[in-house]
Amino acid sequence: MRHDRQVSSPRDTTADRDAAPQFVLPLVVRIERDAPPARTAALEAAAHAVLAFLSDERSVAGEWAERVTAWTDGRIRKVVRRARGAEWRRASVLDGLTVAHDGAEVRVFPPVPLDAWPKELARLQVSGTDLDDPEPPSAPAPGVPVLWCNPELEMTAGKAMAQAGHAAQLGWLALGPDARNRWAADGFPLAVRTASAADWPALTAPGSGLPVVRDAGFTEIAPGSCTVVADLPELRAARGRA
């Protein structure tokens, strides 16, 4: 299977994107009372889920493609909600795909109109996604794409999951077809980590050539804030060859 299609919008201006019908990509994280996932695992699962969704044939040229186009024609929004027990079971039967990663489970669904969520998802809570890491995450393995979070921002796990998903999507879009296919064939290896205060300015500098997520400011943080940088070795290598 090839993964060549770039999910991008033909609209060129913010006004055009705001005028378009607004869709959102729903993600649901499973948080059971007695066994919540680690924060980093949940963030990485969300990034994996977005990449799996974008590269799925149903998004590329199948039954989800029309909704994907409608979603990317507007502001590319993602919303993370939580579920447990029967809530998770009801969500799991809806059209979508589930990613399990390091003890975390995230299900991603085809885009829905901003104000017309399926009732099984609309009743789920956005709040309550405060997760912790039992131990500090280890350093990323050499050569693995890293989504670096802003060390100066405090975000709930749900907000950070959405931002990690944005960064994964921007990284995917910045790659060429061959690089995308290689990443997909490898199972989308990646890590999500918080950057050091010393490294953050270089990661977000215009000359870095790395995709930077700038938040729209709908929730939690100020508009325009840089939240996550997609640090992909393929992009650094391409810049070195330029």
Side-chain angles (χ1 to χ4, degrees), residues 87-109:
E87 295 172 331
W88 176 258
R89 291 190 292 274
R90 285 192 293 268
S92 295
V93 301
L94 298 180
D95 197 21
L97 59 88
T98 298
V99 168
H101 170 76
D102 198 17
E105 289 182 81
V106 172
R107 187 165 181 84
V108 58
F109 305 86

Side-chain angles (χ1 to χ4, degrees), residues 27 40-50 99-101 104-106 161 190 192:
L27 296 102
T40 294
L43 268 59
E44 291 176 347
H48 277 284
V50 170
V99 168
H101 170 76
E105 289 182 81
V106 172
M161 289 170 67
L190 59 85
V192 180

Side-chain angles (χ1 to χ4, degrees), residues 3-6 51 145 168-184 188 211 232-236 238:
H3 306 283
D4 293 350
R5 182 175 181 269
Q6 177 168 321
L51 292 168
Q169 183 170 5
L170 291 182
W172 171 261
L173 295 176
L175 294 172
D178 291 342
R180 286 189 204 160
N181 288 328
R182 286 192 295 270
W183 199 14
F188 297 117
L232 277 59
E234 292 267 9
L235 298 180
R236 287 187 179 269

Side-chain angles (χ1 to χ4, degrees), residues 29-43 45 83 101-106 129-134 157 161:
V29 56
R30 184 178 186 180
I31 303 181
E32 299 292 346
R33 293 183 187 277
D34 57 346
R39 179 184 174 97
T40 294
L43 268 59
H101 170 76
D102 198 17
E105 289 182 81
V106 172
T129 55
D130 293 322
L131 302 172
D132 296 310
D133 284 313
M161 289 170 67

Side-chain angles (χ1 to χ4, degrees), residues 79 124 129 163 237:
V79 172
L124 300 178
T129 55
Q163 299 300 298

